Amino acid sequence: MEHRNFALAGLMGWPVAHSRSPDIHNHWMAEHGLRGAYVLLPVAPDTLGQALRALPVLGFAGCNLTIPHKVAAMALVDRVDPVARRIGAINTVVVQPDGSLAGFNNDGFGYIESLRDEVPGWRADAGPVVVLGAGGAARAVLVGLAEQGAREIRLCNRSADKAQALAAELGAPVRAVPWEQRHAALADAALLVNTTSQGMHGQAPLDLALDALPPQALVSDLVYVPLVTPLLAAARARGNPVVGGLGMLLHQARPAFAAWFGTMPRVTPALRALVERSL
Ligand code: NAP
């Protein structure tokens, strides 16, 4: 909307109180000299459609979506990006020049970029991947890894039916492996990813024996509170390279900012430090 010179975006959720997204986007707005604000928008589920349609009226460039809106919003926007459709949820809405709404999901991008950023030369086709968990975050990680050329992804989830359904939906290279076989599934793996909530502050550590994991395998955890989970500490102690979940949180925000405000922002040490202080 060229006649407006105030950059506006926000996060719709219910509740939205604990998000770090305002810190990230407001930091970038200041860094890029944009006058504007990224605000929290508490939106109850039954008013999501009205709230989304208000975005162009109010001059918003778009918004992010969090629990419980990520799936419901897909049916309420005008266009859903194919990657988001594959993931099955949208976390970003971009108001188009004609006022219509386009939905995207940048979580898979954020995950892949966090690995690239922290492990130069990382490749998805370096060897078998083991993904633990089959929830919303796992879907984005699986789609991201498959897009990047992973050849074999072993998907282990506590509830076997969910892993089987997701593997059947996504197809090759994703294959369901029984939860009981997760320890043995680590043999010859190049990448291990925890997408379960285990290891998060207030939750039990992930129950996983790393003995079979090759020492050069990369271990990544989507959990970012704490920054070093028990899984990452155990992996580090045996010499494996590790990547925490904060990078994904920061990198997934970049394409949204770019789509809204026309410039791709960077994840800098200053931004990391800012968000780390808020954890
Ligand atoms: P979700 O959809 O609720 O999925 C939770 C997953 O954890 C399920 O696979 C569930 O298995 C598993 N799980 C829960 N309790 C378990 C237990 N006691 N033992 C084994 N598995 C257990 O949640 P989500 O949205 O995918 O998020 C998962 C985690 O990723 C959260 O910690 C979240 O903070 C983190 N995350 C991080 C980022 C980031 O940017 N870094 C982004 C998104 C999410 P069942 O199917 O058996 O219940």
Side-chain angles (χ1 to χ4, degrees):
M1 303 239 162
E2 54 288 349
H3 55 285
R4 301 183 202 261
N5 60 3
F6 198 73
L8 275 173
L11 173 66
M12 292 186 190
W14 188 257
V16 288
H18 295 298
S19 171
R20 274 96 196 176
S21 291
D23 293 338
I24 299 170
H25 287 286
N26 286 319
H27 173 84
W28 283 334
M29 282 191 187
E31 194 173 75
H32 291 271
L34 290 179
R35 211 162 62 85
Y38 181 103
V39 294
L40 295 179
L41 300 166
V43 173
D46 61 340
T47 60
L48 180 61
Q50 285 170 276
L52 288 170
R53 290 298 158 190
L55 288 170
V57 182
L58 295 171
F60 274 63
C63 71
N64 285 129
L65 297 164
T66 188
I67 294 168
H69 299 322
K70 287 187 185 190
V71 176
M74 283 200 9
L76 299 171
V77 297
D78 301 299
R79 184 170 72 77
V80 175
D81 168 73
V83 172
R85 196 166 288 289
R86 206 149 178 250
I87 294 171
I90 58 176
N91 70 352
T92 301
V93 173
V94 179
V95 175
Q96 304 298 295
D98 65 357
S100 66
L101 305 176
F104 301 87
N105 189 317
N106 303 318
D107 276 347
F109 169 91
Y111 177 67
I112 299 294
E113 285 290 292
S114 76
L115 299 188
R116 290 232 167 88
D117 187 15
E118 296 179 52
V119 187
W122 174 81
R123 294 180 60 102
D125 61 359
V129 179
V130 177
V131 174
L132 301 181
R139 296 181 68 99
V141 165
L142 291 165
V143 169
L145 287 169
E147 261 199 333
Q148 292 300 314
R151 293 204 198 109
E152 181 190 349
I153 305 178
R154 302 165 186 162
L155 176 61
C156 302
N157 191 54
R158 177 182 61 174
S159 310
D161 53 336
K162 267 174 75 180
Q164 279 158 8
L166 188 50
E169 181 187 330
L170 296 178
V174 183
R175 177 167 71 83
V177 171
W179 182 244
E180 298 67 34
Q181 289 173 25
R182 64 195 181 284
H183 317 287
L186 301 179
D188 75 1
L191 171 65
L192 163 65
V193 192
N194 174 43
T195 78
T196 78
S197 47
Q198 296 301 95
M200 212 163 111
H201 181 72
Q203 302 265 347
L206 181 69
D207 176 12
L208 181 69
L210 296 179
D211 307 75
L213 187 72
Q216 70 279 9
L218 178 61
V219 178
S220 84
D221 202 328
L222 265 53
V223 172
Y224 54 87
V225 184
L227 285 171
V228 181
T229 61
L231 170 67
L232 295 184
R236 210 184 244 173
R238 65 197 292 283
N240 289 91
V242 302
V243 173
L246 183 60
M248 175 175 174
L249 178 75
L250 301 175
H251 281 282
Q252 63 79 27
R254 292 172 53 223
F257 189 92
W260 296 331
F261 306 124
T263 167
M264 190 69 154
R266 288 179 313 134
V267 170
T268 57
L271 175 62
R272 256 179 205 279
L274 174 83
V275 177
E276 276 181 29
R277 275 198 299 277
S278 78
L279 295 181

